[in-house]
Structure formats: structure tokens, C-alpha cells
Amino acid sequence: MVRNSSIERKIMSGISKKLFEEWREIAQKELKGKDLENHFWITPEEIRVKPLYTKDDLNGLNDQLENLPGLDPFLRGPRATMYTNKPWTIRQYAGFSTAEESNEFYKQCLENGQTGLSVAFDLATHRGYDSDHPRVSGDVGKAGVAIDTVEDMKILFNKIPLDKMSVSMTMNGAVLPVLAGYIVAAEEQGVSKEYLSGTIQNDILKEFMVRNTYIYPPKESMRIVSDIISFTSKNMPLYNSISISGYHMQEAGSTLTQELAYTLADGIEYVRAALDAGLKVDDFAPRLSFFFCTGMNFFMEVAKLRAARFIWAKLMKQFNPSDPRSLSLRTHCQTSGVSLTSQDPHNNIIRTAYEAFAAVLGGTQSLHTNAFDEALALPSELSSRIARNTQLILLEETGVKEVIDPLAGSYYVENLTKEFIDKTLLLIQEVEQMGGMTVAVSEGFTKFKIEESAAKRQARVDKNEEVIVGVNKYINENLNEEIDLLVVDNKKVISKQIQKLKKIKSERDNNQVNLAIENLKKGAESNYNLLSLSIEAIRARATIGEISKVLEDVFSRHKAISKSITGVYGSAFSEDTSFNEAQKKVTNFAKKEGRQPRILVAKLGQDGHDRGAKIIATAFADIGFDVDIGPLFATPEETSKQALENDVHVVGISSQAAGHKTLVPELIESLKENGGEKIMVVVGGIVPPGDIEDLKKAGVSAIFGPGTPITDSANQVIDMLLKKNLSS
């Protein structure tokens, strides 16, 4: 056996040579002839993880090991006493149907141990449309609560004391009228804005990268961010004016180092925007907060949060703050949504528990745990209770709150933390060299990098290189569970919201509304604070849609150009039997038809989550399909028109936000009315079992749930096309 090899140099550290020799001999026997030199794990972040760490792996890490919680660089926690004095805030991200129903749900959650509210708005609200707008017929009340006016906001927080309750609101596109509505609702509850605590997400750069619930172009959107930071820093001392979010980056397929780097780079961009607006760094930096995803890579998620605090303190020093709180990164975490599976869904309870534990060991300040049924539908009352109790058990029964940063000094975790710091700083430097995050986002650089990572990850899963229990390994073939899912009656919600809108518009002083709207328009054209003007408009009972529309008239509504990458998925499957089989069928089809099979991959309604659509587009293109990608936020009629103009064989609808039950039948009807009855329609994504039969009756040819290998769906689609071709 070769002595002094690289494995010996990397592992034999801080222990005697004799002891190392004994370990090596035993390890080599256990490996049964496999080469110990190659017994490493290379993570998607290209971090080389050794099978054994020893105390010598801590050499050179004094800057990590010698710091304490509550002190710069805050690696061990933003507060000196952490959970031993104040536990993390237990939140549930929730909202559905009407404000009345959501309010009842919130009060029940608070009675059962939840300590903060986290509000989910429907997609119509996110995109600045009132519930009666024709573009949002399938979205109202489906993926969150419908809010049209301050009266809805007052109902949402009815009997919830806003001077005592921390409220987090996930809102970016229509952030001005929504935050204004919250402020006025509190005001009319008797709570002045200086007593409000919580967070508004207000992270628009992330929207242009991954989530896509933007309204205005990047430059104008950044102005809105600055106006909100400026207003809240002067008038709302307890309120976090922005939650800089990496969550949706990981959900869209980024690696953990990409999530961390691009999030922190976004943060620096917002700091510069606030400084350019004339604010002093210590006036706003202590109220900045962050939002990260916690996935299934347990120890790396812990290391990520520790590294995040270290890097943020380092980056913020360039702005010369005098308040140490300006260097301190505070974060909310949410367990991963993309790790949830529709197959064997009770496994998701276990996944969420591990993810929550990682977030707590990493030192999060607040936490939301996803419900186990969210890969099928919105959370039910039962699944929400289980998710909430996951945190309560973690808090009360495990002892984790009794020690600050319990994994500090771990050979492995400290080493991973250093790896994260080094690799993340390199990615941030890459963005900075481009001119900062606004430039990187505008040029599509970060979006491309994340989509590339997503395609690679999907290939690993489909090839069984990355195991997902119950999906590609340990599959329960006899599983036939009935799960009681929450169902929202979209038509009923729309009807109720329209009635409320009509009532408010008939009772308000429309001269006062018009004056407030005109002032807002002038403010947008000049340099007045837009949040201050939005508050005046909301007080007058202007609607979310009216405020958004007048700003759209000045700023325009942003339209992204959909692009896809090629070759990434196919290169991983070059020798895969199922992949090659699909390619042969495509070739066979092309010979018979005289052209390649053509598919339009489309999103209907206001759902901007396009990870699934982009992965399908790149994979089907690599298999040999001609692929068209529809624009985001399309109506059924617009998608039908594009399908007919492009003469496609198939329309593939990617669904995540529950609008499919309304929108897909409308698409099929539009195709039939315009001579496209031969075009096949398939649906992929989150489709509750109860919706499957209705969609098939409407004419959907196939439905592919989360976790379906892309090669399987491609083979099924091409088989149906070949059969249709033969029969015609």
C-alpha cells in the first residue's frame, strides 16, 4: 500500500501515524477493494467532501473558531444568547380564498402556538390586478388570499392586534399598495405605523431571476424598493423594509452556493440603491433581513447559514457603518417546497422535520415549515397543524434551544462553512465584475446559471444518481392513500370579491380617489416617495389594481423574453436506454410526418414559477422535439393562438398554482373553436388527484405529476403522437 498518499495527507491530521494506519487498514477492508483515494462525495456545488474529518481540518480557521455569537462577524449567530433567551419565531406561510377565511385560519394557528403571521397573497394580487380583471379568472384566491382594497386587509387582520403581532408579507410586484393597505388597516385598527413589526419581502431582483411576479421593469422597480426602504427607515423603526430572498432561487434549481452568492449580491445592490437615494447606511441596514430555503442537504444547509452571516459582515464593511447591527445578517428560513413529493406524500413530514432542524442548527431567526400535502394542493387544516407541531416539538422536546450554535467546532461543519465562504465569494466577485446584480439580472446571466443547475439536478434524479425515497427508489407500488385536500372554489371567491369591489366603489368619494391617483401619477413622473402617495390613495379606497395600473401607465409593464438552454439534460443521458428510445421514436415520427414533433410549453394565468416549464423545454429539445416556449402570464386564448400559428402537435401546460382547472378547459375550447381540435394537450405539475378526472373529461390527453421522469413523459407523449398519426 502506498504511504504518504494524498488520502493520507488529507485525512491523517492531528492523530498519530499508527492510529491512522489502523483506521486505513480497516477502512480498506470494508470498502472491499474499492480505491480509498476516490471515496469522496462531490456535491453539486463542486465541494469535495471527505469520508473522514479530524482536528487538523480546523487548521487555518481561527477567524471562524475564535468568534462568538452576537459579535462581528456573527458566524455563530446574530444575537449573543440566541435561542437560550429568545426562540426563533414560529411562522406558517398561509393565505387562501377570501380574507374572511384566511383570518379564521390565522386566529386558529395563533391559538395553537404559532408566534408570527406570514401572509400568502393570490397571484392576481401579486401581479397588481383586481379580482374582476379578465386576465386573472383562474387565479383569484387559489394560491393565496385575494386582496383588492384596504377593506380586505382590515378583514384579514380582524381581531389580530397588529401592535403585538409580527407580520411577514411575501409581496414584490404590487408591493406599494399591499404595504400601504397593511399600514392603513393598522391605522384604522388604532395602531400607528411606528409600532408595526414584521417584514415586507420587497425583493424585486429575485423576481426577475426566478419567481417572475414582477410588474414594472428593473430600473423602475428598484426605485420602488428604495422608496420603501426610505419611508420605513424614517417612519417604521421596528419594521424590516426588505427580505432579501434566496428561497426561490433554490426552489428554481440553484446550487446552495448560487443561492447564497446571488442573494447576498442582491443585498449589496439594495444597499447601494438606498445610499444613492440619500440614506445613511446605519439608518436602514440594521432592518435588512434575509430569507433562505432549507433543503435536504442537512449539514450543508447548516454551513450555508453560518457562512451567510460571515460573508455579509465582510461585504458590509465596505460601506463603513458605525452601528455593529449594520453588519449583522438576520434571516427567516422556509423548508423546501421542491423537495416535497406527490408520491408517498407522508414522507414529506419527515423531510420537513430534517430541514427544520437544519435551519435551527444554522441559527435562523424565524421559520416556516411546509405542509406534507403541498405537492398536491394548498395545505389542509390537518397538514398545517402537523407542520406547525413539527416546530413546536423541535422547540420544546429536543433540547436544541439550550445551547448556542451546538455544531460549532465540528470538524466537518467548520470545514464546510469555510468551503461555502470561499466559493460564494468567488461567485459574488463574478457578479461584481459584471457591474453588479442589476446588470447581471438584466443580461439574464444569473437566470441562465440557475436554469443550467436545475437541468443538471433533474438529470441526476431521473438517472437515479440522486435518490428520492418513494419516487426513484423504495417505491411503494401498492400505495393507494386517500388524502383530504383543501379545495378552493375559484368561481365563488371571484363572485364574492366582485361584490365587495362594487360596494366599495359605489360608497367611496371618487373625486378623492381620482385626486390621489393623479398625485401618484405625478409622483411617479417626478421624485416623490411612492409609498407615501400610495398610502394616501389606499386611505381614499383606491384598489390594488387602480394603483398598479397608474404606475404601469408611467413605468410600463415588464415582459420577459423566454429562452431555454440546450444540451445539459441530453449530455447526461447520452447512454440512457429510455432517453435513446424516445429519440428513436422522434426520428420515426419525423420520417412519417416529414418534420419533427413540435411542442409548445406554456404557462397559463399569473403563475410565474417556470422551473418545470424550462426543464421540460430543454429536455424535450435534447430528445429531438421542436420546442416553442410560450410567454409567461398568457391567457388560454393567447396560448391557443400561438399553438395554431406555430402549427404544433402538442401543447404542454406547466401548472403549479391551481389555475389549471379553470384555464386548461378554456384552452381546449379555444383550440376547438379555431380549428385546432387535433392539437393534443398535456398537463404537468401540481394537479390534485380530484382534478385529474375533470381535466381528462375536458380533453387533456395525459397528466404528469411531480417526480415523473422526463424520459417517461417524453416516451408517453411521442407514443400518443405516433398512435394518432397512424390512426389519421
Side-chain angles (χ1 to χ4, degrees), residues 400-466:
V400 72
K401 67 178 180 179
E402 308 302 336
V403 177
I404 303 163
D405 193 18
L407 290 181
S410 158
Y411 305 146
Y412 179 35
V413 171
E414 294 290 2
N415 203 272
L416 273 182
T417 302
K418 180 63 166 63
E419 289 275 8
F420 256 102
I421 291 169
D422 292 345
K423 288 188 178 295
T424 299
L425 285 172
L426 286 174
L427 292 176
I428 292 173
Q429 185 180 22
E430 187 177 35
V431 169
E432 288 290 288
Q433 287 172 348
M434 294 183 70
M437 207 57 177
T438 302
V439 176
V441 167
S442 298
E443 294 182 0
F445 172 78
T446 46
K447 190 175 185 69
F448 173 82
K449 289 291 186 181
I450 291 171
E451 288 174 2
E452 184 180 46
S453 296
K456 289 178 179 177
R457 200 253 173 172
Q458 188 63 47
R460 290 194 303 273
V461 171
D462 286 354
K463 290 181 71 177
N464 294 352
E465 293 174 354
E466 186 172 319

Side-chain angles (χ1 to χ4, degrees), residues 379-659:
S380 66
E381 185 178 330
L382 171 64
S383 67
S384 295
R385 180 166 59 84
I386 292 170
R388 184 172 57 252
N389 287 350
T390 299
Q391 290 199 57
L392 292 172
I393 291 167
L394 184 57
L395 175 67
E396 302 292 353
E397 298 187 24
T398 65
V400 72
K401 67 178 180 179
E402 308 302 336
V403 177
I404 303 163
D405 193 18
L407 290 181
S410 158
Y411 305 146
Y412 179 35
V413 171
E414 294 290 2
N415 203 272
L416 273 182
T417 302
K418 180 63 166 63
E419 289 275 8
F420 256 102
I421 291 169
D422 292 345
K423 288 188 178 295
T424 299
L425 285 172
L426 286 174
L427 292 176
I428 292 173
Q429 185 180 22
E430 187 177 35
V431 169
E432 288 290 288
Q433 287 172 348
M434 294 183 70
M437 207 57 177
T438 302
V439 176
V441 167
S442 298
E443 294 182 0
F445 172 78
T446 46
K447 190 175 185 69
F448 173 82
K449 289 291 186 181
I450 291 171
E451 288 174 2
E452 184 180 46
S453 296
K456 289 178 179 177
R457 200 253 173 172
Q458 188 63 47
R460 290 194 303 273
V461 171
D462 286 354
K463 290 181 71 177
N464 294 352
E465 293 174 354
E466 186 172 319
V467 172
I468 301 178
V469 173
V471 175
N472 60 5
K473 196 172 183 180
Y474 312 112
I475 299 168
N476 188 345
E477 302 288 357
N478 300 316
L479 189 67
N480 189 22
E481 292 178 292
E482 286 283 333
I483 295 175
D484 188 17
L485 300 174
L486 176 66
V487 177
V488 174
D489 187 337
N490 171 241
K491 290 182 172 60
K492 184 178 177 182
V493 178
I494 289 176
S495 176
K496 190 165 187 177
Q497 289 301 115
I498 289 175
Q499 287 176 19
K500 288 195 286 185
L501 276 166
K502 286 179 178 177
K503 185 174 186 293
I504 287 166
K505 288 181 179 181
S506 68
E507 294 176 350
R508 70 189 185 180
D509 183 337
N510 283 306
N511 289 328
Q512 193 177 359
V513 172
N514 292 336
L515 178 62
I517 291 292
E518 183 61 27
N519 287 339
L520 182 58
K521 182 181 179 182
K522 290 177 181 176
E525 292 169 338
S526 55
N527 205 29
Y528 283 92
N529 187 284
L530 294 178
L531 178 55
S532 179
L533 293 170
S534 296
I535 290 170
E536 293 303 318
I538 285 289
R539 281 198 189 112
R541 270 35 187 187
T543 69
I544 300 289
E546 288 169 337
I547 291 172
S548 300
K549 181 63 170 64
V550 73
L551 293 172
E552 180 186 336
D553 291 342
V554 178
F555 294 154
S556 79
R557 185 173 279 266
H558 180 69
K559 292 182 180 179
I561 299 172
S562 294
K563 299 178 181 178
S564 68
I565 57 174
T566 57
V568 174
Y569 190 89
S571 63
F573 275 84
S574 58
E575 298 179 7
D576 180 78
T577 304
S578 181
F579 185 83
N580 292 334
E581 184 181 342
Q583 285 185 314
K584 288 175 184 175
K585 291 174 183 175
V586 166
T587 302
N588 187 26
F589 180 92
K591 286 178 181 176
K592 293 178 179 178
E593 186 76 6
R595 64 185 180 116
Q596 301 298 110
R598 193 177 191 96
I599 183 171
L600 169 61
V601 179
K603 297 283 296 183
L604 296 177
Q606 300 304 305
D607 175 23
H609 293 89
D610 61 351
R611 170 185 176 158
K614 289 296 183 67
I615 289 174
I616 289 295
T618 186
F620 270 58
D622 289 350
I623 287 168
F625 281 74
D626 282 338
V627 178
D628 297 308
I629 302 177
L632 289 171
F633 317 121
T635 64
E637 292 75 21
E638 289 165 346
T639 299
S640 169
K641 182 181 179 183
Q642 185 180 3
L644 291 163
E645 287 177 349
N646 293 5
D647 194 19
V648 303
H649 300 99
V650 189
V651 178
I653 301 299
S654 174
S655 178
Q656 182 168 328

